[in-house]
Amino acid sequence: MTDMTFDQRFQKAFDGGLADIKFFVRRDASVTSDALMSDALAFQEAIDAGNVKEVDGVD
């Protein structure tokens, strides 16, 4: 799935039942939309590949 674009990957998620998606980023002038999309796509690819570990929470 590494050949999917950001739009293709997230359209696949919406087609699969995803209702909403949010990205929370710090207010930082150095964060570009391209960098955010690249990071979000890499994170989704890691999920697809099973390279993540579920945790109970972040609190």
Side-chain angles (χ1 to χ4, degrees):
M1 287 195 198
T2 57
D3 294 336
M4 280 190 182
T5 66
F6 179 88
D7 291 341
Q8 290 168 330
R9 174 59 183 90
F10 285 96
Q11 186 59 55
K12 179 183 174 220
F14 284 113
D15 291 346
L18 182 68
D20 191 11
I21 190 166
K22 292 177 179 57
F23 298 100
F24 297 96
V25 293
R26 294 179 188 217
R27 291 183 185 198
D28 185 341
S30 66
V31 176
T32 65
S33 43
D34 285 341
L36 177 62
M37 289 191 311
S38 177
D39 288 348
L41 183 56
F43 186 68
Q44 290 301 313
E45 288 173 349
I47 292 170
D48 290 345
N51 294 332
V52 296
K53 180 179 176 185
E54 187 174 334
V55 296
D56 290 331
V58 294
D59 297 333

